[in-house]
Amino acid sequence: MIKALLSMVLLALAQPIPQSGSSDWPTYPCGSGTLQGSAGVFQEIEPGAYRVEMPGSLECAADPKLKFAVATFAPDDTQAYVYDGMLASYASAGTTSFHVSVALTKGQELGLCLMPDPQTRLSCVLIQADSLGTLSISSLNPATTYVIAGITPDEPHPNCNTCWRLN
């Protein structure tokens, strides 16, 4: 019980307030995409802090001016966050492939959703780091993961929750 409360407090402290009404997300209605949690790789970046990397893809292409995001959220929260740098352009042709990298600490849980717009969740995963540093990634049902994304100018903690790249 104490561990669960401590995790919620740490996540609450790490989560910024999104900007309301931000128009910085020119969207495209891509209907299919996946975060490949089963291909996730873990690395301890400092004692008790871990980087998790995983590939993903969207089964569509669009004008590079149009963006998608991998939003982060605390479990059981309805607000997801898109940090500066977490918006990316679609490939101009074919499948849009990318890698996402997030950081978390022992005892923390972090949700991720691949989102073509602030309301649409194509694929979601939950990353968990237990108190011993054992990490796991499990799939979440995007239809029942009720999060809405908001763009925020704040930086996440630990650093590198915004590290990701297109292939």
Side-chain angles (χ1 to χ4, degrees):
M1 178 70 171
I2 293 174
K3 177 183 161 190
L5 289 173
L6 181 59
S7 293
M8 289 189 300
V9 168
L10 290 174
L11 281 171
L13 292 174
Q15 297 297 329
I17 298 171
Q19 292 177 340
S20 61
S22 177
S23 61
D24 296 338
W25 190 344
T27 63
Y28 177 75
C30 185
S32 179
T34 304
L35 289 171
Q36 299 167 4
S38 61
V41 183
F42 311 109
Q43 176 188 11
E44 189 169 20
I45 53 177
E46 61 183 55
Y50 306 91
R51 178 177 293 128
V52 180
E53 296 185 6
M54 74 184 76
S57 63
L58 291 139
E59 301 304 318
C60 53
D63 184 314
K65 295 178 193 171
L66 302 173
K67 309 289 184 185
F68 68 95
V70 176
T72 63
F73 62 94
D76 300 322
D77 201 351
T78 59
Q79 179 66 56
Y81 299 94
V82 177
Y83 298 96
D84 185 37
M86 297 284 286
L87 284 174
S89 297
Y90 289 90
S92 57
T95 299
T96 301
S97 297
F98 61 92
H99 276 82
V100 64
S101 178
V102 295
L104 67 162
T105 58
K106 284 183 182 179
Q108 188 178 16
E109 296 181 331
L110 183 66
L112 303 174
C113 282
L114 175 59
M115 302 179 78
D117 62 64
Q119 309 262 338
T120 306
R121 300 161 306 278
L122 298 177
S123 177
C124 299
V125 297
L126 177 64
I127 305 170
Q128 297 173 299
D130 70 16
S131 61
L132 300 175
T134 303
L135 281 84
S136 64
I137 301 174
S138 55
S139 294
L140 296 173
N141 183 345
T144 58
T145 304
Y146 298 109
V147 292
I148 296 174
I151 296 174
T152 180
D154 295 333
E155 291 296 322
H157 297 285
N159 290 332
C160 207
N161 263 353
T162 62
C163 302
W164 67 311
R165 65 187 185 282
L166 294 174
N167 285 344

